[in-house]
Amino acid sequence: MPTIVPVRPASLVGSHTHVKLDLKELNESQFRQAPDGWYAVLHLRGVEHRIWFKEAPIVAAAYTVELPFDRDYEFRAAAGMRLWRALNGRPQGAPPHAISAYRRRRIALALRASDAFADGASYREIAEVLLPGRRIPERDWGTHEVRDQIKRFVKTGFALVRGGYRALLRPRSRKNR
C-alpha cells in the first residue's frame, strides 16, 4: 500500500532531531512481522498511521523516513507528512485514500447493478430497483439517460469485480482529479 511509510534508524542524530517516533507505547498487537520486514500501526491523535521497518524495530532509536522514487512516491510523501504532523501535534489533514460518500454510493450501485445483470435482470429491472423514483415510460426507455446510466453502472461493477477494486486501494493521482 502506498500509504505505508517506510522508516529506518537515522544514521545522523543530533540536536536538530526534535521529533521522536516513540515505539515504547506500542503493544505486540500493533506490530506484525512479515517476510519483507516489520509493520506497525500507530494511533496518533485519533488517526491510524502505518509504518514499515526493513529490520526489527529498535525502541530507543531515532528514525528517518525513506522514500523511494517509485510510482507511489507522491502518496508515501503525503503519508510521511501526515505522520510528521501527527508527531508534532499539528492537524494531519485528510487521508490521501479517502473515498467520498458520493463515490462510495456509486461503487455500491455499480456492484449491485452488475450482480443483478449477472443474475439475468434487464437494465430496466435494475433501474426500477436501484433508482425507484425514476419511472421512465416504455416508449422513452430506449433513449433515456437512465438506461445509459444503468449500463455504465453494470460495466463499472464488472470492471471492479475483475480486479478494478485494487484501484480503490491506491489513491488517485492529482492529475486524474
Side-chain angles (χ1 to χ4, degrees):
M1 265 177 61
T3 55
I4 295 176
V5 180
V7 296
R8 63 178 173 80
S11 55
L12 297 174
V13 179
S15 60
H16 63 280
T17 309
H18 300 289
V19 180
K20 297 279 191 230
L21 182 59
D22 190 9
L23 303 177
K24 290 181 272 191
E25 303 289 321
L26 298 180
N27 59 45
E28 286 184 28
S29 69
Q30 292 171 291
F31 278 107
R32 181 177 63 89
Q33 185 176 11
D36 63 341
W38 289 77
Y39 291 85
V41 178
L42 304 174
H43 295 278
L44 304 170
R45 301 183 65 206
V47 177
E48 186 176 274
H49 296 271
R50 297 177 180 273
I51 56 177
W52 173 74
F53 306 85
K54 190 171 186 174
E55 288 136 14
I58 304 165
V59 174
Y63 283 92
T64 184
V65 172
E66 190 172 63
L67 298 174
F69 285 122
D70 60 8
R71 71 180 183 152
D72 295 325
Y73 176 82
E74 178 181 9
F75 307 114
R76 290 188 209 287
M81 181 60 80
R82 291 184 78 234
L83 175 61
W84 181 84
R85 287 179 180 152
L87 292 170
N88 281 289
R90 295 183 180 181
Q92 300 167 61
H97 58 282
I99 298 175
S100 69
Y102 173 79
R103 190 163 178 227
R104 280 194 306 272
R105 181 177 181 277
R106 298 204 37 103
I107 290 167
L109 287 173
L111 291 171
R112 290 178 63 199
S114 64
D115 282 347
F117 191 79
D119 286 342
S122 69
Y123 291 129
R124 187 171 180 84
E125 292 168 331
I126 295 169
E128 288 171 359
V129 172
L130 295 185
L131 307 171
R134 307 280 310 258
R135 304 269 324 164
I136 293 42
E138 185 67 41
R139 68 181 181 280
D140 296 336
W141 175 252
T143 59
H144 201 278
E145 66 194 37
V146 170
R147 179 176 177 264
D148 294 334
Q149 182 181 24
I150 294 299
K151 288 175 82 173
R152 285 191 304 273
F153 278 149
V154 169
K155 182 179 176 181
T156 300
F158 282 130
L160 287 167
V161 170
R162 285 191 304 267
Y165 66 91
R166 291 185 190 104
L168 299 175
L169 302 175
R170 179 173 306 285
R172 294 178 7 197
S173 70
R174 292 177 195 246
K175 63 182 174 185
N176 292 336
R177 288 183 189 170

